[in-house]
């Protein structure tokens, strides 16, 4: 019988450059399961446990932890070591209650940030799609694959502080001039600044935002930034 489903592994040398793994060991590492995050911008859960958080010494040990229901992602127990962990995801270790939020920092794409019990039930998501569905209702899609039907007036590019795992909107952050943003990728990843101006797309140039940091200003495509608050971040992101 023919094999069904995709390969759960990828060659170690072909893994995304930001993965915090040893490149000269065994030939293969886990592949990110497609779905919530792009495979180029996420870790598989097994790699997070073994290589990033150092909670397991081998992948077999990491698999036992996951299969034992000892890990929650965004408040839901996950039993798949290939599950994608990406921007703003909250990973909780059930036995200890210790929680981490994955954020960009110091030009790195994903770094675990130790957070409190109060913070582990909240998550920032960026609105990436807005469609009209049956009944003339509006369905919003977020950067982590979640969707929500809501009467709130949101725009693509805005951010929402949601309650997890229920995906209930606590507050809405409009992506506009004057808001605070977090740079999510590139050499400025992890930087927090203020939007001085938003410039429309022209010809080959995408829509851009002029961001001021404490020591400089940079112009970045809006896809590389995420609104995190009006005057200051609504949750801990650094």
């Amino acid at each position: 019988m023919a094999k069904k489903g995709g390969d759960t592994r990828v060659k170690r040398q072909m893994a995304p450059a930001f993965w915090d793994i040893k490149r000269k060991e065994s030939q293969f590492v886990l592949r990110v399961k497609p779905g919530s995050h792009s495979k180029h911008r996420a870790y598989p859960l097994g790699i997070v446990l073994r290589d990033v958080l150092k909670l397991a010494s081998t992948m077999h040990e990491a698999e036992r932890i996951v299969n034992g229901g000892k890990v929650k992602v965004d408040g839901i127990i996950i039993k798949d070591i290939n599950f994608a962990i990406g921007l703003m995801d909250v990973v909780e270790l059930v036995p200890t209650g210790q929680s981490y939020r994955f954020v960009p920092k110091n030009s790195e794409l994903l770094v675990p940030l130790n957070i409190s019990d109060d913070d582990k039930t909240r998550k920032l998501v960026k609105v990436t799609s807005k469609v009209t569905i049956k009944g003339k209702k509006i369905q919003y899609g977020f950067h982590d694959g979640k969707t929500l039907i809501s009467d709130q007036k949101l725009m693509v590019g805005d951010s929402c502080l949601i309650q997890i795992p229920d995906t209930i909107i606590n507050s809405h952050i409009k992506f506009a001039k004057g808001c605070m943003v977090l740079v999510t990728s590139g050499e400025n990843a992890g930087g927090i600044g203020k939007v001085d101006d938003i410039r429309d797309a022209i010809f080959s140039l995408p829509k851009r935002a002029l961001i001021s940091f404490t020591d400089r200003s940079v112009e970045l495509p809006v896809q590389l930034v995420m609104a995190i608050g009006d005057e200051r971040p609504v949750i801990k992101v650094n």
Side-chain angles (χ1 to χ4, degrees):
M1 182 179 293
K3 181 180 177 181
K4 295 182 179 180
D7 197 339
T8 59
R9 305 177 302 167
V10 64
K11 286 189 176 180
R12 187 175 291 264
Q13 298 299 327
M14 298 298 291
F18 75 90
W19 282 19
D20 186 15
I21 60 174
K22 295 178 181 179
R23 300 281 169 171
K24 295 184 179 180
E25 291 192 349
S26 59
Q27 185 177 5
F28 295 99
V29 292
L30 292 180
R31 180 188 296 271
V32 173
K33 184 176 182 179
S36 55
H37 296 277
S38 164
K39 66 180 181 180
H40 301 296
R41 301 174 62 84
Y43 275 115
L45 181 55
I47 296 291
V48 167
L49 296 177
R50 186 190 66 181
D51 299 276
V52 180
L53 298 179
K54 314 287 186 189
L55 297 174
S57 55
T58 66
M59 193 53 65
H60 289 297
E61 186 177 341
E63 191 168 11
R64 286 197 298 271
I65 293 172
V66 173
N67 289 340
K70 297 179 180 179
V71 181
K72 288 183 179 180
V73 179
D74 290 350
I76 299 174
I77 291 177
I78 299 297
K79 294 187 177 182
D80 182 356
I81 59 172
N82 294 90
F83 188 84
I85 305 298
L87 179 65
M88 294 295 169
D89 283 352
V90 176
V91 175
E92 178 186 352
L93 310 175
V94 176
T96 64
Q98 183 61 61
S99 300
Y100 301 89
R101 175 175 291 118
F102 278 76
V103 296
K105 185 176 181 180
N106 298 331
S107 300
E108 295 184 44
L109 197 63
L110 291 174
V111 176
L113 177 67
N114 201 320
I115 59 175
S116 67
D117 287 343
D118 291 336
D119 249 5
K120 73 181 182 183
T121 60
R122 302 185 299 164
K123 179 180 181 179
L124 266 176
V125 290
K126 182 176 179 179
V127 180
T128 55
S129 67
K130 177 180 179 180
V131 296
T132 302
I133 60 174
K134 186 176 180 180
K136 295 184 179 180
K137 295 181 179 180
I138 303 297
Q139 177 175 284
Y140 297 99
F142 302 117
H143 80 275
D144 62 350
K146 292 181 176 62
T147 59
L148 179 67
I149 298 172
S150 175
D151 294 328
Q152 294 200 39
K153 304 300 182 183
L154 310 177
M155 297 295 292
V156 172
D158 292 352
S159 295
C160 293
L161 180 63
I162 64 170
Q163 196 77 20
I164 52 176
D166 304 315
T167 315
I168 298 172
I169 297 178
N170 288 342
S171 62
H172 165 219
I173 306 164
K174 185 174 177 59
F175 178 66
K177 186 176 178 179
C179 76
M180 301 296 295
V181 293
L182 173 71
V183 182
T184 58
S185 63
E187 62 180 20
N188 294 293
I192 294 176
K194 181 179 179 181
V195 176
D196 288 335
D197 194 17
I198 299 175
R199 297 168 180 173
D200 292 331
I202 52 171
F203 300 105
S204 60
L205 290 176
K207 187 175 182 179
R208 291 125 27 239
L210 182 63
I211 314 296
S212 62
F213 300 108
T214 54
D215 58 343
R216 69 193 191 284
S217 294
V218 297
E219 188 177 84
L220 298 171
V222 296
Q223 290 84 359
L224 303 186
V225 298
M226 181 180 195
I228 57 173
D230 294 325
E231 299 295 332
R232 55 184 175 279
V234 294
I235 57 172
K236 183 179 178 181
V237 294
N238 64 358

